[in-house]
Amino acid sequence: MKEFRLATRVSVGAGALEALDEFRGKSVFLVTDDFLATTDVYKQAVARLGDRVSVYTGVKPNPTTSEIGAGVAVYMKAQPDVVVAYGGGSAMDAAKVMHKTALEAGFGAPLGIVAIPTTSGSGSEVTSFAVVTDETTHTKIPIISEDLVAKLAILDPAAVAGVPAHITADSGMDALTHAIEAYVATDANDLSDAMAEKAIKLIFANLLRCYTHGDDLEARSHMHNAACMAAIAFDNAGLGIVHSLAHALGGHYPIAHGRLNSLLLPHVIEFNAAGNPKAAERYAQIGQMIAPSSKGRAAVMSLVAAVEKLRGQLGIPARLSDLKVSASDVRRDENELVAAALADGCTPTNPVAPTAEDLKALVRKIA
């Protein structure tokens, strides 16, 4: 039996911030970062919420357990009716874990979480996932719980119009990875496939435009919707070892998660296609969206080539060494990296069960 869930109400398109009006006058705990708290769209959001807003701006990229603890202290003092997360994946993940921690202590906001993504990538606004970094072990810890699901997601393209090009690139490649991994994951089904397929088409059609013309609100809206759909797909179908390895690498080296995904994705496609005929067929179906005349192995390689071409157009290099991580450092850390990836919650739904040697080989390909 397969199951498909979507527990989040989604407000979409220009003016979607109006959905915040229903919370005006409520006690609000708002989670964001220092920069976003200075932006015009953030100020518009706060103005809609009224004057009972307690703000935590201490979120950094890859939120840590200590940051979560600091935010929970503000949360407890505020005793909010609703939690509002305004930011990219880090802000949303931090808010979600703070909320879950407060729930477990008996202080959870009764109206739950409202998520306003400011990047088109993680899709955290509609998933039951969050990732937190343990600064002691340098490990990224994926957390899965229904308590992490937002009640409302607000997809307003105005919130992403000013995103820098490199963040647009990294977050967009994260969304593409979500959709492709969900399409071949072991728990994929017709409903998750529909979301993944549409997301893939929209990303290939709009991501480069968003990168080169960030003020194009139509392209931004399509990309924003695509990232959300890709997240709905993977929340229902699962992910794979692109994410497992990216989580492990991101815990060791200060590289954006989406950028790590983009390095790994072509190699994992080839690995999975070689090891599982059904996965090869699924990748070929995606390849035929890009190159309709291709079939079989040629269609798989069309997909690989399309991913690599897009990555290059977005200014993302192909190797860790181009990102100031030496091959010797990777060799030094590879046993820890592989152990973390094997234990990662994304590995079981990969279409091929990898060995430690398989994962080492994949890491070495991008070193």
Side-chain angles (χ1 to χ4, degrees):
M1 184 184 75
K2 300 292 185 181
E3 185 175 271
F4 185 86
R5 305 172 311 280
L6 179 55
T8 304
R9 178 162 55 99
V10 183
S11 294
V12 180
L17 278 178
E18 292 177 11
L20 286 175
D21 291 352
E22 70 182 87
F23 304 104
R24 184 171 183 81
K26 302 289 186 182
S27 175
V28 178
F29 174 58
L30 196 158
V31 179
T32 190
D33 64 40
D34 288 329
F35 169 74
L36 287 172
T38 68
T39 62
D40 289 341
V41 178
Y42 169 86
K43 293 173 184 176
Q44 293 171 30
V46 173
R48 289 189 176 276
L49 291 168
D51 57 5
R52 298 180 64 201
V53 180
S54 299
V55 181
Y56 177 78
T57 61
V59 177
K60 303 291 190 296
N62 304 313
T64 64
T65 49
S66 61
E67 288 169 23
I68 299 299
V72 169
V74 180
Y75 187 126
M76 297 294 199
K77 185 176 180 180
Q79 296 190 357
D81 298 309
V82 63
V83 177
V84 174
Y86 184 84
S90 293
M92 288 188 287
D93 282 2
K96 288 161 71 170
V97 178
M98 290 172 194
H99 178 60
K100 179 170 176 56
T101 304
L103 278 174
E104 292 175 348
F107 293 95
L111 298 179
I113 302 167
V114 175
I116 310 171
T118 61
T119 59
S120 303
S122 76
S124 187
E125 68 272 10
V126 290
T127 72
S128 56
F129 285 73
V131 179
V132 176
T133 300
D134 185 328
E135 58 262 71
T136 302
T137 63
H138 305 291
T139 302
K140 285 197 170 187
I141 307 167
I143 302 169
I144 306 173
S145 170
E146 293 302 313
D147 293 336
L148 302 178
V149 179
K151 296 292 176 62
L152 171 65
I154 297 175
L155 305 184
D156 193 321
V160 289
V163 172
H166 72 281
I167 296 177
T168 297
D170 293 342
S171 56
M173 290 303 290
D174 188 23
L176 180 62
T177 305
H178 290 158
I180 292 175
E181 288 212 291
Y183 198 69
V184 300
T186 57
D187 287 342
N189 57 71
D190 288 345
L191 298 174
S192 65
D193 286 353
M195 290 288 178
E197 288 172 5
K198 184 65 173 180
I200 291 165
K201 290 177 182 178
L202 286 173
I203 292 166
F204 275 115
N206 292 281
L207 176 53
L208 184 59
R209 177 69 181 176
C210 292
Y211 177 74
T212 58
H213 295 79
D215 59 350
D216 184 332
L217 289 185
E218 182 178 1
R220 286 289 194 185
S221 187
H222 285 312
M223 190 64 215
H224 220 25
N225 296 343
C228 183
M229 285 186 282
I232 293 168
F234 88 71
D235 199 45
N236 284 278
L239 289 166
I241 57 174
V242 176
H243 271 76
S244 304
L245 287 168
H247 289 154
L249 289 160
H252 278 72
Y253 314 120
I255 301 172
H257 173 68
R259 184 154 294 212
L260 289 167
N261 281 344
S262 69
L263 269 64
L264 289 158
L265 181 57
H267 301 292
V268 171
I269 291 172
E270 292 192 70
F271 168 77
N272 284 337
N276 185 318
K278 182 179 178 181
E281 181 182 347
R282 304 281 281 172
Y283 287 129
Q285 290 169 2
I286 303 173
Q288 286 176 317
M289 297 181 202
I290 300 158
S293 62
S294 62
K295 295 181 180 179
R297 174 68 177 167
V300 176
M301 296 315 297
S302 291
L303 173 60
V304 170
V307 171
E308 291 180 332
K309 179 181 178 181
L310 181 58
R311 182 187 65 204
Q313 290 173 319
L314 297 172
I316 299 175
R319 307 186 76 88
L320 291 170
S321 56
D322 297 320
L323 297 170
K324 300 181 181 179
V325 177
S326 70
S328 60
D329 285 346
V330 175
R331 285 296 183 105
R332 178 198 65 206
D333 298 332
E334 68 180 12
N335 287 333
E336 289 182 26
L337 294 169
V338 166
L342 284 172
D344 192 276
C346 297
T347 299
T349 46
N350 194 71
V352 177
T355 66
E357 290 304 314
D358 291 333
L359 296 179
K360 282 184 184 179
L362 288 166
V363 169
R364 289 172 184 176
K365 284 180 182 293
I366 65 166

